[in-house]
């Protein structure tokens, strides 16, 4: 068996020294390596550390995939905007919010802030509030899309019924309409004949 790795061996001696009664001067960033949560290139879902696949192209561009489905779609040169199950495809179809203030919190920041306990606590509270606001706005966006879709469906159904009314109506109603039309034609022909007879008498 291999011995356990000792993290303290990697630090200089001046950082390992600590006076009695005081904590070690080694910051948290030295003892624990912070891992970044990347986004999948195809479906835009979160790629957690130790999961997924990474592909580095010849031009040194890095592509990360959360699962084999996304990796195979990338290998087949599929465009994420034209796939229904990706976030880019949903945005292209208008199913996701694009312009919103809550989305600015997910921007990628390359600066590492200094650790502060109060700032971390305030950030966690703000994250909960922002997520709640985003969920409410997403529900409102979904309801507005459903409302518009129902209006379009109603208009399409009305036009279809008006166009194919003879198919929708039952046979009895169509027969009655034919009979009424025949009666009207007979009445018009009788009136025309009667007028011709009167003109002949004159």
């Amino acid at each position: 068996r291999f011995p356990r790795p000792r993290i303290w061996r990697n630090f200089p001696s001046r950082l390992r020294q600590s006076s009695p009664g005081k904590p070690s001067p080694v910051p948290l960033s030295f003892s624990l390596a912070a891992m970044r949560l990347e986004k999948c290139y195809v479906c835009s879902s979160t790629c957690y550390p130790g999961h997924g696949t990474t592909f580095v192209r010849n031009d040194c561009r890095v592509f990360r995939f959360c699962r084999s489905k996304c990796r195979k779609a990338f290998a087949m040169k599929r465009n994420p905007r034209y796939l229904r199950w990706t976030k880019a495809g949903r945005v292209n179809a208008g199913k996701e919010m694009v312009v919103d203030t809550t989305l600015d919190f997910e921007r990628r920041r390359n600066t590492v802030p200094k650790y502060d306990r109060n700032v971390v606590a305030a950030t966690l509270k703000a994250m909960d509030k922002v997520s709640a606001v985003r969920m409410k706005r997403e529900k409102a966006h979904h309801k507005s899309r459903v409302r518009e879709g129902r209006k379009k469906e109603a208009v399409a159904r009305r036009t279809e019924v008006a166009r194919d009314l003879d198919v929708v109506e039952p046979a009895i109603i169509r027969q009655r309409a034919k009979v009424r039309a025949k009666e009207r034609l007979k009445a018009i022909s009788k009136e025309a004949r009667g007028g011709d007879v009167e003109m002949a008498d004159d």
Side-chain angles (χ1 to χ4, degrees):
R1 293 183 179 180
F2 296 99
R4 284 186 177 181
R6 296 182 181 180
I7 302 176
W8 289 97
R9 288 181 179 178
N10 301 328
F11 299 109
S13 59
R14 60 184 180 83
L15 294 178
R16 281 185 280 169
Q17 294 175 359
S18 60
S19 58
K22 292 184 179 181
S24 174
V26 180
L28 183 65
S29 59
F30 281 96
S31 58
L32 297 176
M35 302 297 292
R36 173 171 287 181
L37 301 181
E38 302 287 346
K39 293 293 183 180
C40 179
Y41 177 78
V42 178
C43 66
S44 301
S45 61
T46 307
C47 295
Y48 293 95
H51 296 266
T53 310
T54 304
F55 173 71
V56 183
R57 207 161 55 182
N58 291 339
D59 58 353
C60 297
R61 186 178 178 184
V62 180
F63 300 91
R64 301 181 186 276
F65 310 107
C66 61
R67 46 188 168 170
S68 61
K69 179 180 180 180
C70 299
R71 180 178 55 81
K72 292 175 183 178
F74 176 78
M76 289 186 287
K77 298 182 179 181
R78 298 281 175 82
N79 194 341
R81 289 182 296 176
Y82 304 127
L83 298 176
R84 291 185 176 181
W85 50 274
T86 61
K87 188 172 183 180
R90 291 179 62 83
V91 169
N92 192 23
K95 298 181 179 181
E96 294 283 344
M97 293 190 304
V98 181
V99 181
D100 194 68
T101 55
T102 57
L103 302 176
D104 296 337
F105 291 92
E106 293 187 2
R107 288 183 302 175
R108 182 169 178 171
R109 295 171 177 83
N110 294 323
T111 58
V112 181
K114 190 176 180 180
Y115 176 77
D116 189 358
R117 192 172 186 177
N118 298 328
V119 173
V120 171
T123 304
L124 293 175
K125 291 181 181 178
M127 287 170 62
D128 295 337
K129 292 181 180 179
V130 168
S131 62
V133 171
R134 185 178 60 188
M135 289 177 65
K136 289 182 180 179
R137 292 182 181 178
E138 286 179 353
K139 287 182 180 179
H141 179 71
H142 177 70
K143 287 183 179 179
S144 65
R145 287 194 71 257
V146 170
R147 198 180 302 115
E148 292 176 359
R150 287 177 180 174
K151 290 181 181 179
K152 292 180 181 179
E153 286 181 0
V155 172
R157 289 174 181 175
R158 289 171 187 170
T159 54
E160 186 178 1
V161 170
R163 183 185 60 194
D164 302 329
L165 190 61
D166 56 342
V167 179
V168 179
E169 289 180 347
I172 298 174
I173 296 175
R174 281 181 280 177
Q175 289 179 0
R176 290 178 181 176
K178 289 180 180 180
V179 170
R180 290 174 184 173
K182 289 181 180 179
E183 291 177 356
R184 289 176 184 174
L185 289 173
K186 288 181 180 179
I188 292 170
S189 62
K190 285 181 180 180
E191 290 178 358
R193 289 175 184 173
D196 293 340
V197 171
E198 290 178 357
M199 289 178 67
D201 293 339
D202 294 337

